[in-house]
Amino acid sequence: MPGPHTPGPHTPGPHAAEPRPDEFLRALYDSHGSALLRFAARRLEGDWHRAEDVLQEVAIRAWRHAGELDPTADSVRPWLFTALRNLVIDGHRARQARPPETGDPELAHLPVSDGVDHILTSQVLREALRDLRPAQREVLLHVHYLGRSVNQTAKVLGVPPGTVKSRTYYAARAMREALHTRGMYGLDREAG
């Protein structure tokens, strides 16, 4: 039986014109693509994405031998399946030879922020701030957003430091409650 790199009985005549790449590949996929893809997916334990990658590589290798292969002939199937099988085995061996990745396995499953979470969180925070009384919003602005101390905030607002402390306490409590009602839970809520 000829191997994937030697011509066999599926070889077109010696004077056959080499087909254009798009025609060759279309004929190959139409005639053998679905069978090859199913075979690759079985060999790759159901990983259809890798199966598609392997099928593309087989198609490229077949195209490199377009002068020797008839993409529509059934006699080309052994060549295609052998090439596919060899690619799957080579890929498996390459993964086995690679040293195992180190690091925290939990980090591999952390979601990557796409900015949507930040936008949604900002929106929820703005809505929760609207639930607060104006004096509470004002004290949170000075103490938490502007980073002022209690005494600095008291001086700017013209109120005693004790009033700033009291407003900050009640504003933070009201903010936690407003966020909780919107489905955002703090660590202290989750633990309890």
Side-chain angles (χ1 to χ4, degrees):
M1 170 188 256
H5 300 293
T6 58
H10 48 272
T11 304
H15 302 293
E18 198 167 300
R20 290 189 2 227
D22 58 332
E23 292 172 354
F24 179 88
L25 293 173
R26 186 175 299 115
L28 183 79
Y29 274 94
D30 288 347
S31 300
H32 311 288
S34 59
L36 288 166
L37 184 60
R38 284 192 306 274
F39 180 74
R42 280 194 309 271
R43 290 292 202 152
L44 295 167
E45 299 172 353
D47 187 339
W48 288 90
H49 294 291
R50 280 187 36 222
E52 289 171 350
D53 291 343
V54 171
L55 176 57
Q56 287 177 0
E57 181 61 31
V58 168
I60 290 168
R61 289 183 181 196
W63 175 66
R64 288 181 186 148
H65 296 277
E68 306 161 15
L69 302 174
D70 177 359
T72 60
D74 285 339
S75 59
V76 77
R77 278 200 178 197
W79 189 98
L80 295 170
F81 278 93
T82 301
L84 189 143
R85 182 181 157 277
N86 291 344
L87 283 169
V88 169
I89 290 170
D90 290 347
H92 177 72
R93 286 179 181 157
R95 282 188 303 283
Q96 295 299 319
R98 196 173 80 198
E101 294 180 12
T102 59
D104 189 352
E106 295 296 319
L107 293 177
H109 301 291
L110 288 177
V112 176
S113 175
D114 60 359
V116 173
D117 286 340
H118 178 71
I119 292 168
L120 292 175
T121 301
S122 298
Q123 180 65 32
V124 170
L125 285 171
R126 279 192 297 277
E127 290 174 7
L129 279 168
R130 284 189 209 118
D131 288 355
L132 302 181
R133 293 192 336 252
Q136 292 174 329
R137 279 196 303 270
E138 185 178 44
V139 78
L140 286 180
L141 170 75
H142 286 279
V143 173
H144 291 288
Y145 183 72
L146 297 175
R148 293 186 173 145
S149 69
V150 170
N151 288 334
Q152 290 170 329
T153 302
K155 187 174 182 178
V156 169
L157 297 179
V159 296
T163 302
V164 171
K165 289 180 186 178
S166 175
R167 285 182 187 171
T168 303
Y169 171 79
Y170 287 110
R173 193 170 93 179
M175 188 68 171
R176 270 194 304 274
E177 195 58 42
L179 291 173
H180 180 72
T181 60
R182 287 171 173 80
M184 294 186 74
Y185 303 101
L187 294 175
D188 54 334
R189 290 253 181 209
E190 289 177 357

